[in-house]
Amino acid sequence: MKKVIKKYKDRIVLTLAFSVCFSYTIHAQVIEQDTVSNNKIEISQVLLGEQPNWKVTGSVSTVKGEELQKGFNSNLGVSLIGRLPGLTVQQFGAEPGYNTPGILSRGIGTFKNNKVLVIIDGFEGDYENLVPDEIESISLLKDASATAIYGSRAANGVLLVTTKRGENQPLKVRFSLKHGFQSPVQLPEYLGSYDYALLYNEALTNDGKAELYSAEDMSAYKLGSDPYFHPDVNWNDELLRKRAGLSNYGLSFTGGSENVRYFVALNAISNGGIYKRTGDMSDNSINSDYNRYNVRSNIDVDLNRNLTATLNLSGSVENKSNPGSYRASDVFSGLGKIAPNAFPVYNPNGSYGGSNINSNPLGDLLELGFFESNARRFQSTFKLTEKLNFITEGLSVSGAISFNNYFKGSSSKIREYERFAISKNSTDEIVYNKIGQNTSLDGVENASDQWRQFALRATVNYERTFNNHAISGLLLAGSDNTVDRIGGVEAISSFPYKHNNYGGRFTYAFSNKYIAEFSFGINGSENFHKDNRYGFFPASSLGWVISNEEFLKGNSTVTFLKLKGSYGLVGNDIIEVNRFSFKPVYNYSGGYNFGTANTSVSGMHQSAYPNANVTWEKSKMLNVGLEVSLLNRIDFSLEVFKENRYDIIGKPYSDVPGYLGLPLPDLNIGEVSNKGFETMIRYTSSKAKSFQYVIEANAWYAKNTLDYYSEVPQLYDWQYRTGNSVIQPFGYEAIGLFQDQAEIDASPKQNFSDIVLPGDIKYRDMNNDNVIDDKDIHAIGKSNLPELNFNLHVLLKYKGFDIDALFHGISGTDVYLGTDYYKAFQNNGTVSPIALGRWNEATKATASYPRLSSENNRNNFGTYSSYWQQDGDYIKLRSLELGYTLSD
């Protein structure tokens, strides 16, 4: 039995998580697995099957479910960061229940939709609400050879999730408990009232206005002697906790006999928000919490020696509650708009403080009501497999049916509440000026999202070895139908989405040395004209296991060596245009007035011309790889890929002049290229020693180029996006801060604000016309998508102790400081410590921030410029696990 104590550290945007986990496995027969020696995955999951690693000629990277268990997150997508070479995971937030990251396979291949296709146990599904305890493995299929069966839906890669299944063994019960906390690594910080007043006076002076705060005011703020009329409120302390609890409870049963095998799992996750527990403080509020309950049952039954039935049932129930506001982003946005001296949290009589400009953030959480949502997912699959050995050995057929359903409902309880702005009258008595009024809670119930999917699939499989000849094949026929209803309202977008899929894969291997594979997909979609509804997507790959050649066989140095390559055509049918674009679209517009009654009659116009030739994007993919093992200790792999995506939907702006006044049709005219590499090196120590270790490093790189984008004709080459990265930022190039009026007078005119003063940002005049305007916008900096991902995985084992650490980093990316946090006093907002580096006459030589202004300054804050771009590269410790194995 193994008892493991885990400590996990992870930064989730602004969140640090620690956890302690105790897990126990109860079974009649103990089967120990050596973690260090078991670092290679012998079998790789491929679409609708599996292959031994030596036989895989496509591009596949895999992570085991047991590796994902080392993380402690409420969302599976966060646990994938840094663990799947080729997968870029972008985390956009950390709020429980809204922290699903974006995933990309080998970067970006199109300027439209780059969504990765997710397949769970053979059918499309959502992966983010699964838990590691129910996952056997997750594989990322990246090249055409690995994905061609899904043809028109495969160009963005396929994430293949395989859940656990039962085994012919005695009952094994596993219970795990993880409980820890999440604590913000960094929260937005704002200056106190004294510094706020000091800088605001400076901002007024810069604008040629009189100072607002007197010396007496400044003294009161500094000493804190007048908390009601000179308050100094830290709203973070008033609203937020220092940490929030996170719990995960898991229970699974695995076992079976020769004829019946089962895997059953139950899981519960609880994640509190970092708001104060306002539900315990007010009947008009609720605590911020996220709870999810997962259940899975995978059963395999041999009905006879040839017929096997498989039934997968899984589901989850997800509950989310928030006080006051729908999302945490709204709350944090509000914190950036309220000054620390605007008003006290509570007035002398205990009422809420407030003003006509800002509401009371704590009062909003306690009194405005609350929001709750409930989401339910259900996925079921039934499959029958019949062996046809009586026809020929190795032949089988299977049929499967799947039904998936999702529903999300929400409930809002809304009210208003009164707060008071205080002042003093002529006799120095406090006057309470009422703002708002108390009302009762008013409820609103919504069905905010729902969809259901029905799918059928039939396959014929063949696998057999004749002496040195290994042959395997697969033929597929399937169909899926998805109905998507947003808010319970039927619309054109709620018409069923339907795909018909036909495909196959044929693999031949000779003497375990030469491998050839051909795969194809024939796919159809309801979204295209009947004459262009189906497409053919072929791919082929070759492999050569050189280490099995006579001149290397048995070599003690080169223990494994394989070359592989693939080339093929796949597509992407998520083209982001109006559905059924082969039909014209007419909209009501304008009209005429008739008669003495001046009766208005609406008219119609054609808003979109039909195009019966609209089709999916197409991608030609090339992948070449090398795999090497040396001395049974060193493993190395390298893959180089290139993708050419074409027929991307776009408007023909450069082909049809705008003065014709015609609505432009959608045409398959865009082109994007994407290329890069993936590499891995691993060293495994000897298993014969007490101290064992594995050190593995991975790196994956992808760089895309927008080769053709029918743009509106521009005056200058630097204005075109063609030739740049797909998401290349465009803006003004900042070349410093103006130091004096003479420099302003000698520089090109900047018309973003009524007046430009020393300390304002200075921009480059690209066309030398002595004016800064939109003609000077050009490519600046790098995008927010990293070009390079890398990780370092270290596993150390000594006697009963083990340490497992994962470091992850990115490079080739910029972040843009564009939120209110970086815009001092703009839109009546507050000020953060970054403004302490502002420009003034005393700091002009070292200033890192523009001059302060009490007015909205479009020159400094209202234009997208390189001044606010910062290097986004990082390396961080993603997980750390400490363990000890007790001997029997």
Side-chain angles (χ1 to χ4, degrees):
M1 181 178 296
K2 185 171 182 178
K3 181 179 180 182
V4 182
I5 300 178
K6 298 180 180 178
K7 242 182 201 180
Y8 175 71
K9 177 182 178 184
D10 189 8
R11 194 178 93 163
I12 308 174
V13 182
L14 297 177
T15 303
L16 182 68
F18 296 88
S19 70
V20 178
C21 169
F22 298 91
S23 61
Y24 301 91
T25 303
I26 305 172
H27 48 74
Q29 181 181 1
V30 177
I31 303 176
E32 287 290 343
Q33 290 189 347
D34 188 335
T35 306
V36 174
S37 63
N38 194 34
N39 59 79
K40 293 182 181 179
I41 300 172
E42 299 297 333
I43 300 295
S44 289
Q45 297 293 328
V46 295
L47 285 178
L48 304 176
E50 58 184 28
Q51 289 180 339
N53 270 2
W54 69 267
K55 204 174 182 180
V56 175
T57 52
S59 182
V60 181
S61 57
T62 303
V63 61
K64 286 290 197 181
E66 62 192 33
E67 288 294 313
L68 300 176
Q69 291 175 8
K70 297 172 183 176
F72 190 16
N73 300 288
S74 60
N75 189 285
L76 180 63
V78 180
S79 299
L80 291 176
I81 298 176
R83 295 193 179 273
L84 268 176
L87 187 72
T88 299
V89 182
Q90 291 183 291
Q91 193 172 359
F92 304 116
E95 181 183 0
Y98 300 105
N99 57 343
T100 297
I103 59 173
L104 296 169
S105 174
R106 288 182 165 176
I108 287 179
T110 175
F111 53 80
K112 290 294 185 177
N113 196 302
N114 286 274
K115 182 180 179 181
V116 175
L117 178 64
V118 178
I119 301 296
I120 302 174
D121 291 334
F123 291 94
E124 185 178 3
D126 293 328
Y127 77 95
E128 58 267 20
N129 278 349
L130 299 177
V131 293
D133 287 354
E134 61 185 312
I135 293 174
E136 179 64 30
S137 67
I138 297 180
S139 297
L140 181 65
L141 314 183
K142 297 168 282 190
D143 70 333
S145 176
T147 62
I149 290 178
Y150 278 94
S152 65
R153 308 175 69 191
N156 296 327
V158 177
L159 193 71
L160 186 63
V161 181
T162 303
T163 61
K164 292 180 179 179
R165 310 212 66 79
E167 301 176 9
N168 182 6
Q169 64 175 28
L171 170 64
K172 180 190 292 185
V173 181
R174 183 179 185 273
F175 173 75
S176 66
L177 163 63
K178 296 181 182 180
H179 183 74
F181 63 89
Q182 292 177 311
S183 180
V185 172
Q186 182 179 356
L187 285 171
E189 298 177 3
Y190 300 98
L191 296 179
S193 293
Y194 177 81
D195 288 321
Y196 174 89
L198 182 70
L199 295 186
Y200 193 74
N201 276 347
E202 182 178 321
L204 290 169
T205 301
N206 291 340
D207 296 333
K209 301 177 181 179
E211 293 185 349
L212 176 64
Y213 299 103
S214 65
E216 291 78 10
D217 292 327
M218 299 302 296
S219 177
Y221 286 133
K222 192 170 187 177
L223 298 176
S225 57
D226 185 11
Y228 292 111
F229 289 92
H230 292 83
D232 185 9
V233 181
N234 185 324
W235 289 105
N236 283 355
D237 291 345
E238 297 296 332
L239 268 66
L240 307 176
R241 299 186 292 165
K242 295 187 180 300
R243 62 188 60 86
L246 176 63
S247 300
N248 187 314
Y249 305 88
L251 178 64
S252 66
F253 305 87
T254 308
S257 62
E258 184 177 349
N259 295 323
V260 179
R261 298 162 297 281
Y262 56 86
F263 171 78
V264 178
L266 305 172
N267 187 268
I269 290 176
S270 177
N271 196 175
I274 63 170
Y275 300 146
K276 287 191 173 180
R277 307 297 283 177
T278 54
D280 300 335
M281 303 163 62
S282 170
D283 293 336
N284 295 318
S285 187
I286 197 171
N287 292 329
S288 176
D289 281 309
Y290 172 76
N291 296 282
R292 190 176 76 238
Y293 307 94
N294 287 58
V295 59
R296 172 171 294 278
S297 173
N298 291 348
I299 300 174
D300 299 286
V301 179
D302 294 336
L303 301 177
N304 57 46
R305 64 178 183 178
N306 291 321
L307 181 61
T308 299
T310 298
L311 177 63
N312 296 347
L313 299 174
S314 65
S316 67
V317 177
E318 185 179 25
N319 298 315
K320 171 67 178 174
S321 61
N322 256 349
S325 177
Y326 175 65
R327 292 292 301 274
S329 57
D330 299 330
V331 176
F332 280 92
S333 177
L335 292 179
K337 291 181 171 63
I338 183 169
N341 64 345
F343 45 79
V345 181
Y346 295 102
N347 293 318
N349 66 354
S351 62
Y352 290 111
S355 72
N356 289 319
I357 298 177
N358 298 110
S359 62
N360 188 310
L362 181 60
D364 290 348
L365 291 186
L366 289 169
E367 305 296 345
L368 278 182
F370 50 89
F371 174 87
E372 295 179 287
S373 67
N374 173 270
R376 303 186 293 274
R377 289 175 173 84
F378 175 74
Q379 183 175 30
S380 61
T381 302
F382 180 69
K383 177 182 175 182
L384 289 173
T385 301
E386 175 77 12
K387 297 178 182 178
L388 301 179
N389 291 331
F390 66 93
I391 298 178
T392 182
E393 185 179 345
L395 181 65
S396 65
V397 296
S398 67
I401 183 172
S402 176
F403 178 77
N404 300 331
N405 180 271
Y406 173 79
F407 174 84
K408 182 177 182 180
S410 63
S411 173
S412 298
K413 300 295 189 295
I414 304 171
R415 69 183 294 269
E416 292 294 328
Y417 71 102
E418 60 183 23
R419 54 261 185 209
F420 297 85
I422 58 175
S423 59
K424 290 185 178 180
N425 59 21
S426 58
T427 60
D428 211 30
E429 294 177 329
I430 297 178
V431 178
Y432 291 86
N433 301 297
K434 184 177 177 181
I435 302 169
Q437 60 182 351
N438 290 326
T439 63
S440 59
L441 285 170
D442 185 19
V444 178
E445 309 293 327
N446 289 306
S448 55
D449 191 11
Q450 66 182 93
W451 56 262
R452 64 180 182 269
Q453 183 184 70
F454 177 75
L456 297 168
R457 189 187 71 219
T459 58
V460 178
N461 290 272
Y462 180 73
E463 185 171 5
R464 193 171 180 183
T465 300
F466 303 90
N467 298 322
N468 291 327
H469 306 276
I471 301 173
S472 61
L474 164 73
L475 289 175
L476 161 74
S479 179
D480 61 74
N481 187 296
T482 303
V483 177
D484 191 354
R485 298 176 63 194
I486 304 299
V489 179
E490 295 287 354
I492 189 171
S493 62
S494 68
F495 291 176
Y497 295 82
K498 186 170 183 178
H499 295 93
N500 289 336
N501 310 304
Y502 309 94
R505 179 176 59 240
F506 306 98
T507 308
Y508 170 74
F510 174 71
S511 193
N512 289 353
K513 292 186 291 186
Y514 312 112
I515 309 121
E517 185 171 279
F518 174 75
S519 55
F520 69 93
I522 301 175
N523 307 100
S525 169
E526 96 298 335
N527 197 33
F528 305 114
H529 189 271
K530 62 181 181 179
D531 295 333
N532 295 297
R533 194 157 287 170
Y534 283 88
F536 177 64
F537 301 91
S540 61
S541 60
L542 297 172
W544 180 21
V545 184
I546 305 174
S547 54
N548 283 342
E549 296 286 1
E550 291 300 323
F551 59 84
L552 274 182
K553 205 167 188 178
N555 189 291
S556 60
T557 301
V558 182
T559 53
F560 184 78
L561 175 60
K562 181 175 77 173
L563 290 174
K564 64 180 182 179
S566 69
Y567 183 76
L569 175 71
V570 287
N572 176 26
D573 66 357
I574 309 176
I575 56 176
E576 292 190 343
V577 296
N578 290 329
R579 292 191 69 190
F580 316 124
S581 56
F582 52 85
K583 294 183 177 181
V585 177
Y586 295 90
N587 291 329
Y588 286 100
S589 176
Y592 298 92
N593 294 327
F594 293 97
T596 57
N598 203 28
T599 303
S600 176
V601 178
S602 298
M604 296 188 71
H605 76 286
Q606 187 170 354
S607 61
Y609 284 115
N611 182 3
N613 295 317
V614 167
T615 185
W616 43 79
E617 301 171 1
K618 302 178 183 66
S619 176
K620 294 180 179 178
M621 291 185 174
L622 172 67
N623 190 86
V624 178
L626 168 70
E627 299 175 20
V628 183
S629 292
L630 303 175
L631 304 171
N632 281 323
R633 294 282 183 273
I634 302 173
D635 298 297
F636 173 78
S637 66
L638 173 67
E639 290 192 21
V640 179
F641 65 88
K642 183 177 181 181
E643 176 191 5
N644 291 314
R645 188 82 62 97
Y646 60 99
D647 278 355
I648 305 174
I649 285 291
K651 300 287 187 181
Y653 294 111
S654 64
D655 302 305
V656 179
Y659 58 76
L660 291 181
L662 300 175
L664 299 179
D666 295 304
L667 302 179
N668 295 99
I669 54 178
E671 297 180 16
V672 172
S673 61
N674 186 36
K675 58 186 177 181
F677 67 85
E678 297 163 8
T679 186
M680 179 276 295
I681 186 168
R682 176 176 55 229
Y683 183 84
T684 306
S685 69
S686 171
K687 293 181 291 182
K689 298 181 179 180
S690 298
F691 178 62
Q692 303 171 34
Y693 58 92
V694 177
I695 300 176
E696 179 179 320
N698 290 272
W700 54 102
Y701 172 87
K703 184 176 179 61
N704 62 78
T705 303
L706 184 57
D707 294 325
Y708 183 73
Y709 181 66
S710 184
E711 303 180 65
V712 174
Q714 304 289 341
L715 292 175
Y716 305 102
D717 289 342
W718 61 75
Q719 295 177 291
Y720 287 101
R721 298 183 179 270
T722 300
N724 292 287
S725 168
V726 169
I727 55 175
Q728 168 67 48
F730 274 69
Y732 295 95
E733 182 181 350
I735 54 177
L737 301 175
F738 287 115
Q739 297 301 306
D740 49 44
Q741 189 61 44
E743 184 179 1
I744 296 174
D745 295 339
S747 299
K749 187 176 182 181
Q750 300 183 177
N751 294 320
F752 305 116
S753 298
D754 293 337
I755 187 171
V756 177
L757 296 175
D760 285 339
I761 300 174
K762 179 180 180 180
Y763 300 109
R764 182 178 300 282
D765 184 8
M766 291 293 295
N767 60 349
N768 296 315
D769 65 352
N770 212 35
V771 175
I772 303 298
D773 55 20
D774 57 4
K775 301 182 185 64
D776 300 300
I777 294 176
H778 65 287
I780 55 172
K782 294 169 285 189
S783 73
N784 63 352
L785 179 71
E787 294 180 349
L788 177 67
N789 283 260
F790 54 91
N791 68 30
L792 177 65
H793 190 187
V794 179
L795 174 61
L796 309 176
K797 186 175 182 181
Y798 179 71
K799 295 184 178 179
F801 295 93
D802 59 79
I803 299 177
D804 190 303
L806 176 69
F807 297 86
H808 171 250
I810 62 173
S811 183
T813 179
D814 283 343
V815 294
Y816 192 78
L817 311 182
T819 63
D820 291 339
Y821 180 79
Y822 303 99
K823 302 175 181 180
F825 307 125
Q826 303 298 290
N827 299 311
N828 295 314
T830 187
V831 61
S832 60
I834 191 174
L836 293 174
R838 80 283 189 192
W839 186 99
N840 57 35
E841 287 298 329
T843 65
K844 60 167 54 179
T846 58
S848 58
Y849 192 84
R851 71 173 177 94
L852 299 175
S853 176
S854 63
E855 302 173 345
N856 287 351
N857 190 316
R858 188 163 172 261
N859 184 90
N860 295 337
F861 304 107
T863 59
Y864 194 99
S865 77
S866 60
Y867 192 89
W868 302 107
Q869 286 181 320
Q870 298 289 323
D871 189 343
D873 300 352
Y874 69 78
I875 182 170
K876 65 177 70 173
L877 176 63
R878 280 289 174 188
S879 69
L880 176 64
E881 179 184 271
L882 309 178
Y884 181 73
T885 302
L886 298 175
S887 57
D888 295 333

